[in-house]
Each structure stands twice: as structure tokens, then as C-alpha cells.
């Protein structure tokens, strides 16, 4: 058996035996990414809805900046968050640097523009179709935005899953602000990079397999939600009225 096959076999054994180190890294990854996605969702859904239904001076410039922020390099975000949280930075007094909290902040900054942009895109069409009706019923733009968020909740669920997938696969920013400290801030992506450089391929492969399963699971959930939403909005066949 060659080295690659041995590494794969050992990686599978680590997963099946629920290795403690592997479980700790995976648990921290999911916790940090889940927290970042939840915080970003609280802001992103509301901001996206506001951009979808409101018109204001400079809106086009805001949309340009929003679309530009989608391509923000993660290492640049990590550097900015590092400077903000360092002892000499404006938020240094909170002591968040090299903690899971700093990683949550970095991932939130990365995920937020994605959620805002995708939410605006999802609600823009609904607003164009239903906006006149909502206004005729006396709904303010704020109320209309909240109603559209609820009406498009299945579509927005796929947005949230996409945001979580972006967060859990992040490596550059979390390595900068978290420090990749063993047992404290080491997550799946940073552990894969470290263990590969050390030559510990079985653990790196095990983490890679778990990460692939998470990403594949998210894509499967997105597909199921989209199919569910399509069925929910499809007209009921076979009904006829005299």
C-alpha cells in the first residue's frame, strides 16, 4: 500500500473512531462559522431588504460598493480586523485578538456583503411584482420589506446556507486574527494547511474529508430547499372551475 492509500485509510479511521482532536477542530469550526453567519444574517437580511425596496440619493454608488465588497480578499479583511483588535487598535481593550471571537468578527465581515447582495437580489424581483399592491394596501416601505422577507423565506434560506458555506471554508482571515492556536483557535481550514506543512497527511485528509462533507451537505440542502420552494409556488394541477 502506497503512502497516499495509507493516509486515506488512517484518515477514515480517525473519522470513524471520532478522534478527540478531530472532533474538537470540527466543533470549533462549525461554532465559529455558525455564530458569524447568524450575526451577519441579522444585519444582512435587513440591509438587503432595505436596498431592495428603498430609493435614496447615492443608492447606485452603494450598490457598486456592495458588489465590489463581494470580491474582498480574505487576507485583507483579516489584516484590517487584526489592526482593529490589536492592543494599539481602537478595539484592543476588549482583548479579542487570537480568540474565537476575533474569528467570528472576521468571518462576519466576509459573509455580510454576500448576504446583503443576495438578499437584495432575491427581494428585488418580488418588490417589482408586488410593490404596487403593497403600497395600495397602505404598507410603508419598511413594512413591505419585512413582508417580503417573510414571503421569500425559502429563497433566503438558500442565501443563509451559501453564507455559511463561505464562512466555514475561510482560511486567510481566521488564520491572521485567530493565530491557529492548537486547542483554542484552530479550525478545519487552518488545521489542514498546518498539518499538510508538517507532513501529517492523515489528519489533514480527515479534516479535508469532513470539510467536503459539510460543503456537499450544504449544497444538497440548497438544492432541496430550491426544489421545495419551486413546488410551493407551483400552481396546483388538475383543478378546474365551471
Amino acid at each position: 500500500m502506497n503512502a497516499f492509500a495509507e493516509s486515506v485509510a488512517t484518515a477514515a479511521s480517525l473519522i470513524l473512531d471520532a478522534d478527540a482532536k478531530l472532533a474538537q477542530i470540527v466543533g470549533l469550526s462549525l461554532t465559529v462559522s455558525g455564530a458569524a453567519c447568524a450575526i451577519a444574517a441579522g444585519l444582512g437580511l435587513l440591509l438587503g431588504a432595505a436596498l431592495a425596496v428603498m430609493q435614496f440619493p447615492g443608492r447606485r454608488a452603494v450598490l457598486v460598493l456592495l458588489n465590489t465588497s463581494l470580491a474582498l480578499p480574505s487576507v485583507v479583511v483579516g489584516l484590517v480586523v487584526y489592526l482593529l483588535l490589536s492592543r494599539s487598535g481602537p478595539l484592543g481593550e476588549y482583548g479579542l485578538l487570537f480568540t474565537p471571537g476575533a474569528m467570528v468578527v472576521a468571518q462576519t465581515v466576509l459573509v455580510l456583503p454576500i448576504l446583503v447582495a443576495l438578499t437584495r437580489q432575491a427581494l428585488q424581483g418580488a418588490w417589482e411584482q408586488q410593490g404596487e399592491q403593497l403600497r395600495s394596501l397602505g404598507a410603508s416601505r419598511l413594512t413591505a420589506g419585512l413582508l417580503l422577507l417573510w414571503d421569500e423565506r425559502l429563497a433566503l434560506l438558500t442565501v443563509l446556507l451559501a453564507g455559511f458555506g463561505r464562512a466555514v471554508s475561510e482560511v486567510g482571515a481566521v488564520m491572521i486574527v485567530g493565530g491557529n492556536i492548537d486547542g483554542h483557535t484552530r479550525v478545519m481550514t487552518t488545521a489542514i494547511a498546518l498539518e499538510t506543512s508538517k507532513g501529517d497527511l492523515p489528519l489533514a485528509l480527515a479534516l479535508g474529508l469532513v470539510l467536503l462533507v459539510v460543503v456537499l451537505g450544504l449544497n444538497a440542502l440548497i438544492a432541496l430547499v430550491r426544489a421545495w420552494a419551486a413546488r410551493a409556488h407551483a400552481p396546483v394541477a388538475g383543478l378546474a372551475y365551471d
Side-chain angles (χ1 to χ4, degrees), residues 158-172:
T158 66
V159 171
L160 296 179
L161 291 172
F164 182 80
R166 174 67 178 91
V168 79
S169 60
E170 166 54 31
V171 58

Side-chain angles (χ1 to χ4, degrees), residues 30-159:
L30 298 179
T31 300
V32 168
S33 298
C37 193
I39 296 171
L43 296 171
L45 294 178
L46 294 177
L47 291 174
L51 286 174
V53 303
M54 292 184 178
Q55 296 292 332
F56 53 87
R59 180 177 183 272
R60 182 167 298 181
V62 171
L63 293 180
V64 170
L65 290 175
L66 177 62
N67 292 330
T68 302
S69 65
L70 296 176
L72 276 177
S74 60
V75 290
V76 174
V77 172
L79 176 60
V80 172
V81 175
Y82 179 93
L83 293 174
L84 290 173
L85 299 180
S86 64
R87 286 190 176 183
S88 58
L91 303 177
E93 61 182 295
Y94 298 105
L96 289 175
L97 194 61
F98 301 135
T99 67
M103 299 159 68
V104 171
V105 172
Q107 289 191 3
T108 300
V109 173
L110 286 169
V111 172
L112 181 59
I114 297 174
L115 297 187
V116 174
L118 294 180
T119 299
R120 185 199 69 83
Q121 187 177 26
L123 298 187
Q124 188 75 55
W127 172 248
E128 292 172 356
Q129 294 176 3
Q130 304 175 36
E132 289 295 333
Q133 181 182 4
L134 290 171
R135 284 197 294 267
S136 68
L137 294 173
S140 65
R141 288 183 180 266
L142 175 60
T143 302
L146 295 176
L147 290 172
L148 290 177
L149 282 174
W150 174 253
D151 189 54
E152 298 296 322
R153 59 192 180 279
L154 292 180
L156 295 176
L157 181 57
T158 66
V159 171

